Amino acid sequence: MSYQFITSAKLPTRHGEFDLHVFENEDGQEHVMLSVGLPVVDPLPEKNAMQTRPIKPHTKSIESSVPLVRIHSECLTGDAFGSLKCDCGPQLNTAMEAIQATGYGAILYLRQEGRGIGLTNKIRAYALQDQGHDTLDANLMLGLPADARIYDMCGPMLAHVGVDEVRLITNNPDKVSYLTDNGINVVERVPLVVGVNDSNADYLATKRDRMGHLLDKEFYTKAHLNK
């Protein structure tokens, strides 16, 4: 599937100012990159924000420090509503803070809600979790994959700002493998364990024990300490 850069603008946030870049695939699905301190390789002319131009690979090497990058899949409930069922909101905000502090990096915000199953199915899975099923089994009971996310847009998004090596903020080894397999050098994996609470400790334990995420062995919440 091909991806095109659409337009960009400045985005002031409570964490600092980012450059916001919008990308679109051939099906019209939009993805966003927030960047700090990264040069744009092929900017879109301002005369028409609906024009598109193929993303071209960067031709110069990165000479300064390796950028800090977070691949973050959309989570309406966590990112916007502050849900305690997951750690998505705290992860996003912590990554934004870290990239601003570093002054050189990006967040690839991918529009694949609910690990790729969509918002409605995610809430259906929530209902099954309310009955005591874990996050993986809830998806499977709905006839859905445990994780339907894809990362094929990450390469073109990073190429747009000339990045071919990263310090990747993640607990998920699959993201490291995907970037490495597609020519992006992951020079460091930066762990991100934030937002742990009584409502999401079991969710995180499932990601650790059944989905291979690299998390601490124990979560020191009341829910776990009282078991």
Side-chain angles (χ1 to χ4, degrees):
M1 182 174 290
S2 63
Y3 294 86
Q4 291 183 313
F5 167 65
I6 304 299
T7 191
S8 64
K10 297 293 184 182
L11 183 69
T13 76
R14 63 188 177 91
H15 304 297
E17 185 175 86
F18 291 86
D19 293 316
L20 186 151
H21 314 262
V22 178
F23 300 80
E24 187 177 281
N25 65 22
E26 58 201 35
D27 294 330
Q29 187 180 38
E30 299 166 326
H31 304 279
V32 172
M33 176 170 62
L34 299 177
S35 69
V36 175
L38 298 176
V40 173
V41 176
D42 189 20
L44 181 76
E46 291 296 329
K47 62 182 179 179
N48 186 350
M50 291 307 294
Q51 288 181 324
T52 60
R53 178 184 293 193
I55 299 169
K56 298 177 182 178
H58 189 48
T59 56
K60 296 181 180 179
S61 62
I62 298 296
E63 296 180 354
S64 53
S65 60
V66 177
L68 194 59
V69 171
R70 164 78 181 163
I71 301 172
H72 190 94
S73 295
E74 179 181 35
C75 176
L76 177 67
T77 50
D79 297 342
F81 300 152
S83 170
L84 298 180
K85 281 180 172 284
C86 64
D87 56 343
C88 300
Q91 284 190 321
L92 177 61
N93 283 283
T94 301
M96 292 173 71
E97 292 173 358
I99 289 168
Q100 281 289 341
T102 301
Y104 191 62
I107 292 174
L108 311 185
Y109 194 88
L110 310 182
R111 305 295 299 280
Q112 41 189 9
E113 179 76 47
R115 295 204 297 270
I117 64 174
L119 180 60
T120 298
N121 282 327
K122 173 182 172 178
I123 304 309
R124 288 174 175 150
Y126 271 6
L128 290 172
Q129 292 170 40
D130 290 342
Q131 299 172 21
H133 304 286
D134 71 28
T135 180
L136 190 153
D137 284 337
N139 280 27
L140 299 179
M141 291 170 69
L142 291 170
L144 300 167
D147 192 339
R149 290 175 294 181
I150 59 174
Y151 302 106
D152 56 356
M153 67 288 288
C154 294
M157 293 170 85
L158 291 172
H160 180 69
V161 287
V163 171
D164 58 10
E165 60 179 7
V166 302
R167 296 168 55 223
L168 189 64
I169 306 173
T170 189
N171 304 319
N172 186 351
D174 289 345
K175 293 180 181 179
V176 176
S177 297
Y178 180 84
L179 291 186
T180 301
D181 291 346
N182 286 271
I184 306 296
N185 182 26
V186 180
V187 302
E188 180 185 4
R189 183 187 70 84
V190 180
L192 183 62
V193 182
V194 293
V196 181
N197 63 77
D198 289 349
S199 296
N200 68 20
D202 286 340
Y203 158 86
L204 293 172
T206 296
K207 290 207 297 185
R208 178 195 64 204
D209 299 337
R210 301 190 65 191
M211 302 180 74
H213 287 220
L214 304 173
L215 295 165
D216 293 337
K217 186 61 179 175
E218 300 296 338
F219 301 118
Y220 295 100
T221 67
K222 291 181 181 178
H224 275 211
L225 291 175
N226 292 335
K227 284 187 173 180

